[in-house]
Amino acid sequence: GAGVSQTPSNKVTEKGKYVELRCDPISGHTALYWYRQSLGQGPEFLIYFQGTGAADDSGLPNDRFFAVRPEGSVSTLKIQRTERGDSAVYLCASSLSVRGNTEAFFGQGTRLTVV
Amino acid sequence: AQTVTQSQPEMSVQEAETVTLSCTYDTSESDYYLFWYKQPPSRQMILVIRQEAYKQQNATENRFSVNFQKAAKSFSLKISDSQLGDAAMYFCAFQGGGTASKLTFGTGTRLQVTL
């Protein structure tokens, strides 16, 4: 597609439920990133992929969070046993490489609300 | 670990005037990149301008320019001839020059543009 696509745009779920957030990066971009943006804050890094492998998952807050990118393109962020504190906008970005001289393109995010 | 600080939660500028948004950062790295991103209500982060730390010359992009002071670890954004469409959240971000490609963001500055 023309840009990074994230679905759904908004998701409301009950506390304790499982959710999946999808990111479809720009075609040909090998690097894919997930960030979480809480209300009134800047985005915080969660994980990034170089191809199919998670190159750095140091930002995942706990073992309820998991992300996959099985074919090196679409990625899914999975959250188990959701808590109200997980409510945030989850942003995905992709770039041609992981170097700083390549631009990261962001999607419009998924706003997750846990009630 | 790197930190990025934006000390101005909100700024206001009149249309056609100039405004400067402040950003300071802390790092022990010598090779890195600095960015300003714009986030409108659509939530999508849009790259405004990028600065490579090894370049002494300040980056410019049309009405947007930066004042990069490496020794002071300061990276301010100047917007000239402000337009109504410039109203948004602005985030300063840091990226290391090595393989750790994650972006570290500040808390943002909300820019209002008035008639």
Side-chain angles (χ1 to χ4, degrees), chain A:
Chain A
V4 178
S5 176
Q6 291 188 247
T7 55
S9 180
N10 293 281
K11 175 72 176 177
V12 180
T13 190
E14 292 182 346
K15 179 176 177 293
K17 298 290 188 182
Y18 167 84
V19 296
E20 290 189 351
L21 311 180
R22 176 188 169 107
C23 173
D24 200 339
I26 293 172
S27 178
H29 282 193
T30 60
L32 184 146
Y33 316 79
W34 284 99
Y35 292 85
R36 179 168 71 174
Q37 186 175 19
S38 300
L39 190 63
Q41 300 295 316
E44 293 180 313
F45 170 78
L46 295 176
I47 185 171
Y48 90 83
F49 291 87
Q50 177 66 8
T52 60
D56 182 355
D57 63 357
S58 63
L60 294 178
N62 52 59
D63 60 6
R64 295 187 298 105
F65 288 75
F66 190 72
V68 296
R69 193 185 185 198
E71 298 178 356
S73 178
V74 172
S75 176
T76 304
L77 179 65
K78 310 180 181 192
I79 310 174
Q80 298 178 321
R81 304 183 303 279
T82 52
E83 300 177 357
R84 292 198 178 86
D86 299 335
S87 297
V89 173
Y90 289 82
L91 293 168
C92 177
S94 70
S95 67
L96 280 172
S97 80
V98 298
R99 296 290 301 178
N101 59 354
T102 56
E103 182 176 349
F105 294 85
F106 283 79
Q108 293 187 314
T110 294
R111 181 181 299 281
L112 176 66
T113 303
V114 182
V115 297

Side-chain angles (χ1 to χ4, degrees), chain B residues 88-106:
Chain B
M89 286 292 294
Y90 285 81
F91 291 94
C92 179
F94 172 100
Q95 183 177 41
T99 56
S101 69
K102 62 185 178 184
L103 288 162
T104 301
F105 289 88

Side-chain angles (χ1 to χ4, degrees), chain B residues 3 5-6 8 10 15 20-22 27-29 31 33 40 50 55 59 70-71 81-82 84 87-88 103 112 115:
Chain B
T3 58
T5 302
Q6 293 180 251
Q8 305 157 316
E10 288 194 16
E15 198 178 17
T20 298
L21 308 184
S22 301
T27 183
S28 58
E29 297 187 44
D31 179 24
Y33 303 85
R50 171 174 56 215
K55 290 187 177 178
K70 190 172 184 179
D81 186 27
S82 297
L84 294 177
L103 288 162
Q112 294 182 320
L115 292 172

